Amino acid sequence: MATSFGFLMRGLILCLCFLCLFQVSFGAKIRHYQWEVEYKFWSPDCVENPVMAINGKFPGPTIRAVAGDTIHVELTNKLHTEGVVIHWHGIRQFGTPWADGTASISQCAINPGETFIYRFKVDKAGTYFYHGHYGMQRSAGLYGSLIVDVAEGEKPPFHYDGEFNLLLSDWWHQSVHEQEIGLSSIPFRWIGEPQTILMNGRGQYNCSLAAHFSSNSSLSKCTLRGGEQCAPHILHALPNKIYRLRIASTTALAALNLAIGNHKMVVVEADGNYLQPFEVQDLDIYSGESYSVLITTNQDPTQNYWVSVGVRGREPKTPQGLTLLNYLPNSASKLPPSAPPVTPRWDDYDHSKAFSNKILALMGSPKPPTNYDHRIILLNTQNRINGYTKWAINNVSLAVPATPYLGSIKYGLKHAFDRNPPPENFSSNYDVMKPPMNPNSTHGNGVYMLNLNTTVDVILQNANTLTANTSEIHPWHLHGHDFWVLGYGEGKFRDGDEKKFNLKNPPLRNTAVIFPFGWTALRFVTDNPGVWAFHCHIEPHLHMGMGVVFAEGVHRVGNIPNQALACGLTGKRFMKNN
């Protein structure tokens, strides 16, 4: 009898376990999308220009999912003369490295008329976005938001009553093809600063909603009825509520600063990772970064308030972007009685560094390993190679090969890229504060081959442009991983600077900034088999070679869809085998 009872109980437990597994599987959804990418005429800033649209819309549609869901995007290239890929920025692609959307790294470009299926799991809640990663198609407007909510039954570690989404970008009237030609010409032709800052794909050129506060008498007031493609995206809020404002920057060039008139912001999330909350009046955001902030609508309910975005890190020649925080039931046409918030001076780097140093992981977040196994130091410089202006890392300017690395490494193709590894450091006598013009630079497409499940430190070392005494801000984005930001420093990184590392509560990010003539220390674990880009997220800089490639555990990658590798030497391999 006891044996029968035990058997019955074991059977019951197995059934309950099965039901639990079934509920977990049942709770996760597969979210299907059919997208067509094509050029459309659009007026993002009230001036008509071609944009890259998805299903006829700019920006592309927002994807909204729950942690654990699978995203299935059937992407058809309706462009007539260009390939295309989509990178799912911040999604780590565990088990699906071919879906990362990096041309010549994780997949072949999708040719005109072809359809490619991206299928991947969103494993972690957070604020993300997607964008083109072929040529400079992000500059052409190929981007959209990707929001992942917490799994059913879970809650974020903060309360809010509603939320808004702001996707920030910059916009030029010069076509992306003209921009690319200028960057690759002798003499070099710089595209210059953007004409407009866009908020959710909307801005106003040559006029301002706040013209009556401007000292520029020639600046006219925008006369918009609200139905135009460039009409501001207004945030409609109820008084005395807490709102989560999700902010992501897909700018091609500009570092930005956001502020809301009369409202403080509490920063709670960065790049899909929760932070120790801290309060700010304004927020710096670099290309590739995302944040969530909480605002409380506790101001005079009879007024509306400016939401202002201005340029940082470069001498601003682009007017601030503006929209309204509309306190309902006020009319959205009721402009605030005072001037918009003033963006901090563009070169006030102390302000930027103070903000960055406040970003700390929420208590209970994963901590970094105490020690590293492998260290790579990456020197960022602007160079000339055969008369062309380039960016280089340790004096190598990245030029990706025709065959995607993922396939050529997986299948052992010997001649697809340079098998000599790129340098892991730079000359010890290089003076980052008074650097030379780097005449010994070269093109390269080598790969940093990393052992699986090791701890890697990357020291980003900033130095010079080709203009004397000039160094620029660079936001660096890592595919396939989050990393811990261990610290920042001035001048040249030295071994003793390790004492400054924060190993207690460093934030987990996927994008980090290096300040002019400074260094930033990152640590990550190679726990995701695949080939991953690591690059400056400024579009012209990547186009000019400012990136590297990491490979780890590629032998463990499962079957790669043939369509991802149907080009170059892997394409020939598949044709031969078929």
Side-chain angles (χ1 to χ4, degrees):
M1 183 70 178
T3 304
S4 298
F5 178 75
F7 180 79
L8 181 64
M9 288 303 295
R10 284 195 297 272
L12 181 60
I13 290 169
L14 285 171
C15 287
L16 287 172
C17 289
F18 175 78
L19 285 172
C20 289
L21 288 170
F22 179 77
Q23 284 180 329
V24 170
S25 301
F26 184 75
K29 295 182 178 179
I30 300 176
R31 300 183 182 268
H32 290 268
Y33 301 89
Q34 285 190 312
W35 286 1
E36 294 183 346
V37 176
E38 60 185 332
Y39 279 104
K40 301 284 286 188
F41 284 113
W42 208 266
S43 301
D45 61 356
C46 306
V47 177
E48 188 176 75
N49 271 294
V51 303
M52 294 193 80
I54 297 175
N55 293 349
K57 298 294 183 182
F58 167 78
T62 296
I63 289 179
R64 190 112 201 182
V66 171
D69 285 353
T70 295
I71 305 299
H72 179 110
V73 177
E74 190 175 315
L75 183 76
T76 299
N77 181 359
K78 303 280 282 189
L79 307 171
H80 296 293
T81 58
E82 296 176 58
V84 70
V85 295
I86 298 283
H87 170 55
W88 314 95
H89 187 108
I91 305 303
R92 294 176 291 182
Q93 301 292 350
F94 284 118
T96 52
W98 53 84
D100 187 49
T102 45
S104 293
I105 297 175
S106 64
Q107 71 169 107
C108 301
I110 307 163
N111 290 321
E114 290 182 344
T115 297
F116 183 84
I117 293 176
Y118 289 102
R119 188 181 176 93
F120 55 90
K121 186 176 181 178
V122 288
D123 64 305
K124 188 173 62 169
T127 304
Y128 308 104
F129 59 99
Y130 61 84
H131 60 80
H133 213 295
Y134 181 66
M136 290 177 59
Q137 291 179 343
R138 178 158 51 94
S139 293
L142 186 54
Y143 46 74
S145 294
L146 198 169
I147 307 299
V148 182
D149 292 307
V150 294
E152 189 174 348
E154 297 182 11
K155 292 183 179 180
F158 43 83
H159 165 77
Y160 56 98
D161 301 301
E163 72 176 60
F164 304 114
N165 185 40
L166 274 184
L167 187 62
L168 308 179
S169 51
D170 41 15
W171 187 248
W172 284 261
H173 294 165
Q174 188 181 19
S175 79
V176 68
H177 303 106
E178 290 178 273
Q179 295 178 36
E180 288 177 337
I181 294 169
L183 296 172
S184 305
S185 293
I186 300 177
F188 177 73
R189 295 189 185 184
W190 175 237
I191 58 176
E193 303 305 307
Q195 274 68 63
T196 318
I197 301 301
L198 303 181
M199 298 155 75
N200 290 344
R202 301 177 179 207
Q204 296 80 46
Y205 173 69
N206 216 20
C207 70
S208 172
L209 300 173
H212 52 296
F213 293 110
S214 175
S215 58
N216 182 358
S217 59
S218 64
L219 189 65
S220 63
K221 182 179 182 301
C222 298
T223 54
L224 299 170
R225 295 188 297 274
E228 299 90 346
Q229 292 172 338
C230 58
H233 183 93
I234 294 171
L235 312 182
H236 301 286
L238 293 171
N240 299 311
K241 300 289 184 183
I242 298 174
Y243 287 91
R244 179 181 189 173
L245 178 58
R246 297 180 183 265
I247 312 159
S249 175
T250 184
T251 55
L253 175 66
L256 300 174
N257 179 273
L258 182 141
I260 303 173
N262 290 40
H263 290 73
K264 294 180 179 179
M265 298 177 284
V266 178
V267 187
V268 294
E269 178 221 344
D271 296 353
N273 297 285
Y274 296 128
L275 303 178
Q276 190 66 36
F278 64 97
E279 189 176 79
V280 292
Q281 296 280 3
D282 60 83
L283 174 143
D284 277 352
I285 181 167
Y286 303 96
S287 177
E289 293 187 324
S290 66
Y291 290 99
S292 283
V293 302
L294 303 180
I295 59 172
T296 303
T297 52
N298 55 4
Q299 298 301 301
D300 180 355
T302 67
Q303 302 294 336
N304 293 326
Y305 299 88
W306 294 112
V307 179
S308 171
V309 179
V311 174
R312 301 276 280 124
R314 306 181 66 84
E315 188 169 357
K317 298 175 183 176
T318 309
Q320 63 187 154
L322 292 172
T323 190
L324 291 180
L325 176 63
N326 166 224
Y327 269 46
L328 296 170
N330 291 328
S331 168
S333 62
K334 182 180 181 180
L335 295 179
S338 55
V342 177
T343 302
R345 183 178 163 85
W346 70 273
D347 57 355
D348 183 357
Y349 297 119
D350 288 340
H351 184 93
S352 302
K353 293 171 185 177
F355 172 77
S356 294
N357 284 320
K358 290 178 182 177
I359 301 173
L360 302 171
L362 185 67
M363 186 179 298
S365 299
K367 291 187 177 182
T370 304
N371 301 302
Y372 67 89
D373 302 307
H374 190 165
R375 172 175 284 172
I376 300 172
I377 299 177
L378 301 178
L379 175 70
N380 292 234
T381 58
Q382 195 177 60
N383 308 66
R384 283 201 181 92
I385 303 175
N386 299 325
Y388 293 95
T389 301
K390 296 291 182 180
W391 285 96
I393 305 303
N394 292 345
N395 277 343
V396 178
S397 184
L398 180 64
V400 292
T403 304
Y405 291 106
L406 183 63
S408 56
I409 297 174
K410 169 75 173 175
Y411 299 113
L413 304 182
K414 295 181 179 180
H415 304 294
F417 62 92
D418 185 358
R419 289 289 172 160
N420 295 313
E424 297 193 356
N425 207 333
F426 59 95
S427 172
S428 60
N429 60 13
Y430 189 100
D431 185 348
V432 301
M433 301 305 291
K434 295 181 180 179
M437 291 297 101
N438 307 305
N440 58 332
S441 300
T442 184
H443 293 104
N445 58 25
V447 177
Y448 292 100
M449 297 288 190
L450 306 175
N451 292 328
L452 196 60
N453 296 318
T454 59
T455 300
V456 178
D457 275 12
V458 176
I459 310 298
L460 293 167
Q461 176 67 65
N462 210 349
N464 61 294
T465 68
L466 287 171
T467 302
N469 304 314
T470 302
S471 181
E472 295 187 3
I473 281 179
H474 300 289
W476 274 76
H477 171 59
L478 177 59
H479 294 229
H481 304 79
D482 284 345
F483 49 67
W484 289 275
V485 184
L486 301 185
Y488 307 89
E490 309 290 335
K492 186 175 183 178
F493 177 82
R494 304 183 187 281
D495 288 340
D497 289 326
E498 286 185 29
K499 298 176 182 177
K500 303 174 185 176
F501 287 0
N502 173 17
L503 299 179
K504 179 183 177 183
N505 56 358
L508 268 172
R509 307 292 302 265
N510 61 56
T511 304
V513 63
I514 44 171
F515 294 104
F517 294 118
W519 56 263
T520 298
L522 313 175
R523 180 168 292 175
F524 72 100
V525 177
T526 57
D527 57 0
N528 192 5
V531 184
W532 308 106
F534 182 45
H535 61 89
C536 178
H537 210 258
I538 292 175
E539 193 83 314
H541 292 186
L542 175 58
H543 183 74
M544 295 159 67
M546 198 172 193
V548 298
V549 178
F550 295 142
E552 62 201 66
V554 179
H555 62 286
R556 294 199 181 183
V557 174
N559 292 327
I560 303 171
N562 289 356
Q563 192 179 12
L565 302 177
C567 63
L569 297 179
T570 47
K572 294 177 183 177
R573 180 181 184 275
F574 289 134
M575 288 176 64
K576 184 178 180 180
N577 290 343
N578 291 331

